[in-house]
């Protein structure tokens, strides 16, 4: 039964308990969703009540009756309260979407029982606590994980690096701290060599008998994705996207070099954090990158020349950092709006103002030469002075305290003086004879 997008309003009416699919999305239904308990049966495979005005808490006592439910989409409503632990009874659930409601509390641990999940989207709520490490350990079939716009805190668990089928990893707009995990390069699904496409979304459904493939293809669900500075809802093409979004948190430290090995990534957003250090030199290895946002951090140093090799890059934002030097010359990098580089006071070159004639490289060279001259002059004078002092006083002390050396020295002086006197007299006599 599909009544989606019809501007229907009021309470949700009664339906037959023999339905496999119930789609009431994009209407104006109000009231609670407790009616689900009245029609609960083992035949339901998809329930889509998204984009309505439904309110209240999730029922806690009827999820165990939906034995084969694969898709539950309650996104964009006014639901509130905690996500009940009974949701863990949905052992065959593949797509769970609860985004843009008012859910509070922690993610229930029972969700680890839903190991068939490929889409978990709880973004836009008020969930708290640390991101559970069991997401990476138990939900290994995840293709989409969106925890965006909540109040998750603590570090990003390294177990998320075990999500080898993930295509969209969105942890943005939380209060996460600590460093970016160095193990992200272990996510093989984000490598260019991995040729997986959106067909991954249907692999599980195809195993459940005749007709279920087309059902999953139509109703697997959608996900809200931040893509090229705008929000889009994707469904059938979800598997084609490869996105990491850690923006608007409190992450610190350097951007790990390992992230450049994700050469299949299409979008990387690390903006609005407290990241430091240089932009990783090997960023040019991310050949498929179309969108890169590192703005509003504390990055320093020069823009790597390898950035100019990203031929598909259409969105770039490096603004509000502490970058310096000249922007690498390439048709690609010079084509971006100056706002992409603004807020970096020591950055110059097109499309910003021209760099001074004596650029940073020349200045550094001159400074090094001047420093070398100063060190050479100082060292020269120190050597001369110390040599004179040591040599002079070394001879004096030897003559004073060593009698044999003193006698030998005086005999030498006398002999030299006599030789000079005799030689001079002989020369004068010869000259006199020549003149006479």
């Amino acid at each position: 039964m599909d009544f989606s997008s019809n501007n229907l309003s009021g309470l949700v009416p009664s339906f037959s308990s023999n339905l496999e699919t119930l789609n009431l999305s994009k209407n104006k239904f109000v009231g609670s969703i407790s009616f689900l308990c009245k029609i609960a049966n083992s035949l339901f495979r998809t329930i889509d009540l998204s984009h309505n005005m439904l309110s209240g808490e999730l029922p806690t006592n009827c999820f165990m009756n939906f034995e084969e439910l694969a898709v539950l989409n309650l996104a964009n409503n006014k639901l509130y309260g905690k996500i009940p632990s009974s949701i863990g009874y949905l052992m065959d659930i593949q797509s769970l979407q609860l985004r843009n409601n008012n859910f509070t509390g922690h993610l229930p641990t029972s969700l680890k029982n839903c190991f068939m999940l490929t889409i978990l989207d709880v973004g836009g709520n008020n969930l708290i606590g640390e991101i559970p490490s069991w997401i990476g350990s138990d939900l290994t079939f995840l293709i989409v994980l969106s925890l965006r716009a909540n109040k998750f805190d603590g570090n990003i668990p390294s177990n998320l690096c075990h999500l080898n089928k993930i295509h969209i990893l969105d942890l943005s707009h939380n209060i996460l701290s600590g460093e970016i995990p160095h193990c992200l390069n272990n996510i093989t699904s984000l490598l260019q060599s991995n040729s997986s496409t959106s067909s991954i979304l249907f692999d599980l459904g195809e195993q459940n008998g005749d007709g279920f493939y087309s059902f999953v293809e139509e109703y697997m669900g959608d996900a809200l994705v931040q893509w090229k500075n705008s929000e889009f809802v994707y469904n059938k093409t979800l598997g084609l996207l490869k996105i990491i979004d850690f923006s608007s948190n409190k992450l610190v430290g350097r951007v790990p070099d390992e992230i450049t090995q994700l050469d299949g990534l299409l979008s990387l957003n690390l903006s609005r954090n407290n990241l430091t250090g240089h932009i990783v030199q090997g960023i040019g290895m991310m050949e498929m990158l179309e969108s890169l946002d590192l703005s509003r951090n504390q990055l320093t140093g020069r823009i790597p020349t390898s950035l100019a090799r990203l031929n598909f890059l259409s969105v770039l934002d490096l603004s509000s950092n502490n970058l310096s030097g000249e922007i690498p010359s390439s048709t690609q990098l010079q084509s971006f709006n100056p706002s992409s580089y603004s807020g970096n006071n020591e950055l110059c070159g097109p499309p910003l103002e021209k760099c001074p004639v004596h650029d940073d490289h020349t200045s550094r060279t001159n400074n090094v030469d001047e420093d070398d001259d100063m060190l050479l002059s100082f060292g020269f004078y120190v050597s001369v002075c110390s040599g004179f002092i040591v040599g002079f006083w070394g001879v004096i002390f030897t003559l004073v305290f060593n009698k044999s050396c003193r006698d030998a020295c005086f005999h030498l002086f006398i002999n030299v003086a006599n030789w000079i006197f005799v030689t001079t007299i002989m020369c004068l006599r010869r000259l006199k004879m020549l003149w006479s």
Side-chain angles (χ1 to χ4, degrees):
M1 182 171 288
D2 186 353
F3 287 152
S4 61
S5 304
N6 277 297
N7 280 324
L8 299 175
S9 60
L11 299 174
V12 178
S14 300
F15 292 100
S16 168
S17 59
N18 295 322
L19 293 175
E20 291 185 5
T21 299
L22 176 62
N23 188 353
L24 303 178
S25 63
K26 298 178 182 177
N27 284 290
K28 298 178 180 179
F29 286 114
V30 296
S32 72
I33 62 172
S34 59
F35 71 90
L36 289 177
C37 296
K38 298 178 181 178
I39 60 174
N41 65 78
S42 60
L43 299 178
F44 261 115
R45 293 183 177 177
T46 181
I47 297 175
D48 190 345
L49 305 175
S50 63
H51 297 273
N52 281 285
M53 295 183 287
L54 299 171
S55 59
E57 299 185 6
L58 293 182
T60 59
N61 55 357
C62 61
F63 283 119
M64 67 284 292
N65 298 322
F66 294 97
E67 296 177 2
E68 296 187 11
L69 190 65
V71 176
L72 177 60
N73 191 346
L74 304 176
N76 295 89
N77 279 286
K78 297 180 179 181
L79 302 171
Y80 56 82
K82 294 183 178 181
I83 300 173
S85 59
S86 59
I87 207 162
Y89 286 111
L90 301 176
M91 303 290 288
D92 290 334
I93 192 76
Q94 296 178 40
S95 177
L96 178 61
Q97 299 169 77
L98 305 176
R99 71 172 180 271
N100 294 340
N101 282 285
N102 293 304
F103 290 115
T104 57
H106 297 73
L107 280 175
T109 307
S110 61
L111 267 177
K112 66 166 63 175
N113 300 324
C114 305
F115 62 93
M116 302 284 280
L117 271 173
T118 58
I119 297 177
L120 176 58
D121 188 349
V122 294
N125 285 285
N126 291 298
L127 299 174
I128 60 173
E130 296 185 355
I131 296 175
S133 60
W134 48 258
I135 290 180
S137 302
D138 297 283
L139 306 183
T140 55
F141 288 108
L142 278 177
I143 297 172
V144 176
L145 175 60
S146 178
L147 308 179
R148 70 191 310 268
N150 279 283
K151 297 178 181 178
F152 289 109
D153 56 19
N155 295 341
I156 298 175
S158 58
N159 276 15
L160 295 187
C161 297
H162 298 159
L163 298 175
N164 284 323
K165 290 182 171 58
I166 202 74
H167 277 219
I168 298 174
L169 180 56
D170 190 347
L171 311 179
S172 63
H173 296 274
N174 281 284
I175 46 178
L176 299 172
S177 56
E179 297 187 350
I180 298 173
H182 287 250
C183 58
L184 289 176
N185 59 316
N186 293 335
I187 305 178
T188 55
S189 57
L190 299 180
L191 302 179
Q192 192 173 347
S193 57
N194 190 316
S195 59
S196 59
T197 64
S198 56
S199 60
I200 294 178
L201 291 171
F202 317 132
D203 286 346
L204 296 175
E206 204 170 11
Q207 300 172 5
N208 287 300
D210 296 337
F212 193 47
Y213 177 94
S214 59
F215 154 73
V216 174
E217 182 175 9
E218 184 176 358
Y219 290 108
M220 177 51 76
D222 51 31
L224 183 67
V225 177
Q226 182 81 18
W227 175 246
K228 297 185 177 182
N229 295 330
S230 299
E231 290 185 349
F232 297 94
V233 175
Y234 288 85
N235 40 53
K236 293 183 180 181
T237 58
L238 273 177
L240 299 175
L241 300 175
K242 296 184 178 184
I243 295 172
I244 288 180
D245 192 343
F246 294 165
S247 63
S248 299
N249 280 287
K250 297 182 179 181
L251 300 175
V252 298
R254 296 175 176 270
V255 179
D257 293 335
E258 290 82 358
I259 205 169
T260 62
Q261 298 179 31
L262 302 178
D263 56 0
L265 203 64
L266 300 183
S267 176
L268 176 62
N269 191 345
L270 304 178
S271 64
R272 294 174 172 82
N273 281 287
N274 297 311
L275 300 174
T276 56
H278 295 69
I279 299 176
V280 287
Q281 291 294 325
I283 199 165
M285 297 168 55
M286 305 176 76
E287 299 176 355
M288 304 302 294
L289 209 58
E290 296 183 27
S291 178
L292 175 63
D293 192 345
L294 302 176
S295 63
R296 298 180 184 275
N297 281 286
Q298 300 175 32
L299 301 174
T300 58
R302 292 174 170 263
I303 298 176
T305 56
S306 65
L307 192 63
R309 298 202 297 266
L310 300 180
N311 297 322
F312 297 109
L313 196 64
S314 58
V315 174
L316 175 66
D317 195 348
L318 304 178
S319 63
S320 300
N321 280 285
N322 297 310
L323 301 173
S324 59
E326 186 173 2
I327 299 172
S329 179
S330 75
T331 305
Q332 188 84 355
L333 296 183
Q334 270 65 52
S335 65
F336 292 112
N337 192 285
S339 61
S340 298
Y341 306 101
S342 63
N344 295 281
N345 295 332
E346 297 185 14
L347 202 61
C348 62
L352 301 178
E353 295 180 359
K354 292 184 178 180
C355 294
V357 176
H358 299 288
D359 59 12
D360 291 343
H361 176 74
T362 304
S363 299
R364 285 197 302 271
T365 303
N366 292 338
N367 290 337
V368 169
D369 292 341
E370 290 175 2
D371 291 342
D372 288 344
D373 289 342
M374 291 178 64
L375 291 173
L376 179 62
S377 300
F378 180 75
F380 175 75
Y381 290 124
V382 170
S383 299
V384 170
C385 293
S386 60
F388 174 76
I389 293 172
V390 172
F392 177 78
W393 287 106
V395 172
I396 295 300
F397 282 121
T398 301
L399 294 177
V400 171
F401 295 103
N402 194 321
K403 186 176 183 301
S404 61
C405 289
R406 186 169 63 250
D407 292 342
C409 184
F410 285 141
H411 284 299
L412 177 62
F413 287 157
I414 292 171
N415 290 335
V416 171
N418 289 337
W419 180 83
I420 294 174
F421 176 76
V422 172
T423 302
T424 303
I425 294 299
M426 293 298 294
C427 289
L428 290 175
R429 286 184 178 180
R430 287 175 184 174
L431 289 173
K432 185 177 180 180
M433 292 175 64
L434 290 174
W435 289 343
S436 59

